[in-house]
Amino acid sequence: MAEEAKWYVAHTYSGYENKVKEDLEKTVENRGLQDMILEVSYPTEEVVEMKDGKRKVVTRKLLPGYVMIKMIMNDKTWYIVRNTRGVTGFVGPGSKPVPLSDEEVTKLGVEYIPIELDLSIGESVRVISGPLENFIGTVEALDPERQKVKLTVSIFNRDTPVELDYIQVQKL
């Protein structure tokens, strides 16, 4: 059985994220490691800034000083990433890199991983994030395509319909 590639986070010198990405991609290409180090990225967002009274759309790094690497972790790949200029280390305790969970990968916008929810209509769930955190709701509808769940939540003793993302609820 082939090992599954997971997303890891490497810490870089601030401002070196793109250089690290380019250098790592070059190394992967030169050494033919495309099957071990699959993707290198850093999450960005488009924001509107005001400069000299003009609106300007700029791309900003969501996590300055970090790059995400989808890879199969072994001594060889660890060594290659660790010795890429600008990389100061992996995120994790000591020298043991910890892969991101599917939820973290989706939340960071690095890659969309559909979440499988073992829920059925009529079941009770707890809201685990957002303004309704810790509220208990009853599942009314599931939309796996959009990764949304419709709940009825009791707010001030009134049943209120709400729509949340799969990653915002947890089975009781």
Side-chain angles (χ1 to χ4, degrees):
M1 185 183 118
E3 249 187 290
E4 192 188 344
K6 293 194 180 311
W7 283 98
Y8 292 88
V9 181
H11 192 267
T12 69
Y13 293 124
S14 193
Y16 273 72
E17 302 86 357
N18 200 43
K19 185 91 182 93
V20 166
K21 176 180 162 54
E22 288 172 3
D23 289 354
L24 203 46
E25 286 170 347
K26 242 181 251 152
T27 303
V28 166
E29 201 176 310
N30 293 342
R31 298 194 184 186
L33 297 170
Q34 293 87 341
D35 57 341
M36 293 181 126
I37 299 177
L38 308 173
E39 198 179 330
V40 183
S41 81
Y42 49 90
T44 58
E45 64 180 347
E46 303 264 306
V47 289
V48 177
E49 283 182 359
M50 292 297 283
K51 195 166 189 177
D52 303 327
K54 293 188 176 82
R55 292 164 63 91
K56 187 180 166 197
V57 177
V58 293
T59 303
R60 191 169 63 191
K61 294 176 189 119
L62 279 175
L63 299 166
Y66 295 95
V67 292
M68 314 311 179
I69 304 158
K70 187 171 190 171
M71 61 189 279
I72 291 169
M73 183 60 70
N74 58 36
D75 290 345
K76 187 177 187 175
T77 56
W78 181 91
Y79 182 84
I80 285 167
V81 173
R82 193 64 193 80
N83 288 291
T84 299
R85 210 173 62 209
V87 172
T88 59
F90 278 100
V91 172
S95 61
K96 180 135 178 57
V98 177
L100 293 171
S101 69
D102 289 352
E103 285 84 357
E104 289 167 327
V105 170
T106 301
K107 261 187 196 166
L108 287 169
V110 180
E111 183 181 29
Y112 173 72
I113 299 173
I115 297 168
E116 295 291 321
L117 258 193
D118 180 25
L119 286 178
S120 46
I121 291 166
E123 246 181 305
S124 293
V125 293
R126 175 185 312 278
V127 180
I128 55 171
S129 70
L132 298 176
E133 193 172 343
N134 291 324
F135 274 80
I136 305 293
T138 306
V139 177
E140 299 297 330
L142 295 164
D143 186 348
E145 208 58 16
R146 289 176 47 236
Q147 297 274 293
K148 299 278 186 188
V149 58
K150 285 191 172 136
L151 307 174
T152 301
V153 179
S154 178
I155 302 173
F156 302 121
N157 291 329
R158 292 181 66 172
D159 283 348
T160 309
V162 294
E163 185 178 74
L164 298 172
D165 293 326
Y166 274 16
I167 58 174
Q168 290 182 280
V169 297
Q170 183 180 58
K171 193 174 181 169
L172 282 181

